[in-house]
Amino acid sequence: MAKFAVLQTFYASSSWRNFRLGLIAERGNRCERCAHIIAKPIDIIGHHKIELTPENVQDHTISLNPERVELVCSDCHNQEHRRFGYQSKKSVYLVYGPPLAGKKTLVRQQMRRGDIIVDMDRLYEAVSGLPAYDKPDGLFGNVIGLHSLLIDNIRTRLGKWGNAWVIGGYAERFKRDRLADDLGAELVFCEASRDECLNRLATDEQLRHRQDEWVKYIDKWFEQYRG
Ligand SMILES: [Zn+2]
Ligand SMILES: [Zn+2]
């Protein structure tokens, strides 16, 4: 059976996500190391000065303490972890949850340079040259082909990547568990209620003209979901 990734599940929790957003609102979008402006909020990383472990993550004086968290850019963050010789073992994470739950944000925050990411949306973008929300049906066969190839690479640990992140809805428990077992992946649930997803949809500029379509994606996920 697949294991649950305690640390990544913490980073997916709404307590951490709200905590991080609160820090950004308070401190602004300058990297606290190099003082550069970080243009997109998704790229602002909350770095724990005391490295989080499965043992200390539940201690909120460590994991949710403003004095122990720095907001940094990804360059500084990569440097920080290199400097301390931090080398995580090769882990595979299956990040799942409803549309607009924040799966991409989670991965962007937790990944390191040299990790591999497998995400249908990104593959679609790469192949079609179109924005992420526009996915011509005709390209599906080619995109899923690439996806399968990368999944295979991960299963066989082919290549010199650090960690692997497989992102998707994976609402159906049976399929999700089977894929996770197959890949030797740890499960990371990006939790969000249907209302939270619909709220994000309502305020998403890029999806402004695709609201109906996305309400369907969201509803479908919640219909299929088995925890
Ligand atoms: Zn920086
Ligand atoms: Zn860090």
Side-chain angles (χ1 to χ4, degrees):
M1 273 307 280
K3 302 172 285 178
F4 265 93
V6 181
L7 281 182
Q8 307 305 344
T9 299
F10 165 77
Y11 285 109
S13 70
S14 53
S15 37
W16 164 255
R17 290 192 301 184
N18 291 334
F19 174 83
R20 175 179 159 271
L21 290 176
L23 290 184
I24 294 172
E26 212 174 281
R27 299 179 190 173
N29 62 345
R30 240 176 229 289
C31 172
E32 292 179 46
R33 291 281 169 98
C34 70
H36 276 93
I37 296 280
I38 307 166
K40 295 191 206 142
I42 192 175
D43 293 327
I44 304 175
I45 294 162
H47 164 69
H48 283 93
K49 295 183 201 170
I50 298 174
E51 194 185 321
L52 289 192
T53 64
E55 288 73 40
N56 70 15
V57 67
Q58 297 306 334
D59 180 352
H60 291 176
T61 66
I62 293 176
S63 58
L64 293 174
N65 181 344
E67 282 165 27
R68 291 183 163 159
V69 176
E70 272 177 305
L71 296 180
V72 296
C73 70
S74 63
D75 283 350
C76 288
H77 196 232
N78 281 321
Q79 233 170 38
E80 168 74 17
H81 286 286
R82 252 200 312 272
R83 194 167 32 168
F84 286 101
Y86 172 91
Q87 217 10 294
S88 61
K89 61 181 186 325
K90 210 173 203 168
S91 296
V92 178
Y93 299 107
L94 181 62
V95 182
Y96 70 102
L100 302 176
K103 300 186 286 292
K104 283 187 186 59
T105 310
L106 169 76
V107 172
R108 186 82 133 249
Q109 300 284 311
Q110 294 307 113
M111 61 171 285
R112 303 266 183 273
R113 187 167 178 281
D115 284 1
I116 189 169
I117 296 176
V118 181
D119 175 352
M120 280 296 281
D121 293 350
R122 280 171 169 273
L123 292 175
Y124 241 112
E125 259 181 281
V127 170
S128 71
L130 295 169
Y133 48 83
D134 190 4
K135 303 187 182 80
D137 288 341
L139 295 178
F140 182 80
N142 302 94
V143 176
I144 197 76
L146 269 180
H147 189 269
S148 308
L149 177 69
L150 290 171
I151 289 288
D152 234 46
N153 290 169
I154 291 173
R155 178 189 297 116
T156 56
R157 303 297 189 266
L158 180 70
K160 292 184 177 169
W161 37 273
N163 292 327
W165 304 85
V166 178
I167 307 177
Y170 301 110
E172 290 167 78
R173 183 178 187 162
F174 172 71
K175 286 187 189 166
R176 180 171 71 231
D177 283 352
R178 196 177 50 184
L179 179 60
D181 276 348
D182 204 24
L183 294 177
E186 300 182 48
L187 291 164
V188 181
F189 183 32
C190 221
E191 194 169 5
S193 69
R194 185 172 170 277
D195 283 347
E196 284 175 294
C197 296
L198 291 174
N199 282 337
R200 283 179 204 154
L201 175 60
T203 54
D204 192 311
E205 262 306 299
Q206 288 196 312
L207 300 180
R208 200 153 41 104
H209 298 298
R210 292 169 190 270
Q211 301 258 340
D212 295 350
E213 193 183 323
W214 279 76
V215 170
K216 275 183 213 152
Y217 295 150
I218 293 169
D219 283 342
K220 187 171 169 207
W221 190 92
F222 281 96
E223 272 160 33
Q224 291 182 333
Y225 178 61
R226 297 290 173 273

